[in-house]
Amino acid sequence: TALPKRLIIFGIAAYAADIVFVSNFASAIEGWYIEHLSWHWIFWNAALFTPLMMVCVYFGIPQRPLAGQRPNWRGFAYFSLGLSLLYGALDQGERLDWLNSGTIVAMSVAGIFLLAAALLRRILDPNPTLNLSFLNTRNIIILALSIFAFRFVHLATIVLVPGFLANIQQYRPLETGQALAWVAV
C-alpha cells in the first residue's frame, strides 16, 4: 500500500523472486557456516539481522494514526505464544516420541489453550484495528489458495532436492548449498 501505483507490479515481482531466491540461497549460507564457522551461527544469523529488519520495517511501513483505537496486544500475545508452542510441539514431536512425552503434551495443551483464549478474547473484545471480514472476499480466497499451492510446490526445492543431494549423492552441506545457489540465480 505504500508503493506508488506504477511500481506495485515490480513490488509483487520482487516479493516473488525473494521467496525463491532466499529459500535456495539460505542453503548456501548454512553450508558455509557449517564448513567454516559452526552450525551455531545459523541461529546467530537471525539474532544479528533482526534489529536491521526491525529498523527497515519501522521506516518502510507508513505511520497511520489509530484514531482513538487501541490494539489488542494481549490477544496478539496469546495467539503468537499459542502458535509458537504448537510449532515447537510439532517440530520436536518425532524426537521426543510425540504424546509419550510430557513436554510435547504440555506444549500442545498450552498452545491450544492460548489459541482458545485468543479466540475468546477476539469474540468478547474485538480488535478495532483488524477487521477480519476482508478474508471472506473472492480475491483474498483465490490469493490464499494460490499462495498455498505455490508454497506446497516450492517444498520440492527446499526439502526434496537438499535431501536427495545429502542422502543419495552424499553431498556435504557446502556442496548442497552451492548447487542450490545456482537454482536461486
Side-chain angles (χ1 to χ4, degrees):
T1 59
L3 285 175
K5 292 258 188 224
R6 68 185 198 293
L7 297 178
I8 288 176
I9 193 71
F10 296 108
I12 293 170
Y15 176 71
D18 175 60
I19 291 172
V20 174
F21 178 78
V22 169
S23 60
N24 287 303
F25 195 70
S27 295
I29 295 171
E30 174 187 324
W32 190 86
Y33 282 160
I34 290 171
E35 195 77 22
H36 294 96
L37 296 173
S38 166
W39 64 268
H40 297 94
W41 276 95
I42 295 170
F43 302 102
W44 283 108
N45 193 38
L48 293 174
F49 286 109
T50 297
L52 175 65
M53 181 193 66
M54 291 170 68
V55 168
C56 290
V57 167
Y58 180 78
F59 288 111
I61 296 177
Q63 300 292 322
R64 294 187 180 138
L66 292 177
Q69 301 172 346
R70 60 171 182 76
N72 186 350
W73 292 111
R74 192 175 300 152
F76 177 75
Y78 293 164
F79 188 75
S80 299
L81 188 57
L83 285 180
S84 298
L85 286 167
L86 286 176
Y87 174 80
L90 290 172
D91 185 51
Q92 296 298 316
E94 184 68 31
R95 188 177 70 83
L96 297 176
D97 196 24
W98 293 105
L99 296 178
N100 294 324
S101 168
T103 303
I104 298 299
V105 171
M107 289 174 74
S108 300
V109 169
I112 291 169
F113 175 76
L114 286 171
L115 288 178
L119 179 66
L120 184 64
R121 182 153 178 88
R122 171 81 184 168
I123 291 170
L124 296 178
D125 185 21
N127 188 349
T129 58
L130 181 63
N131 185 1
L132 295 178
S133 64
F134 78 94
L135 293 174
N136 200 20
T137 60
R138 183 178 66 94
N139 287 346
I140 297 296
I141 293 170
I142 291 170
L143 179 65
L145 291 173
S146 300
I147 290 172
F148 176 79
F150 172 76
R151 295 300 281 178
F152 185 75
V153 170
H154 191 239
L155 282 174
T157 60
I158 61 175
V159 174
L160 294 178
V161 173
F164 171 79
L165 292 175
N167 295 324
I168 306 301
Q169 298 295 326
Q170 301 298 312
Y171 276 25
R172 294 188 335 264
L174 184 62
E175 295 168 324
T176 301
Q178 290 170 350
L180 289 178
W182 281 106
V183 174
V185 171

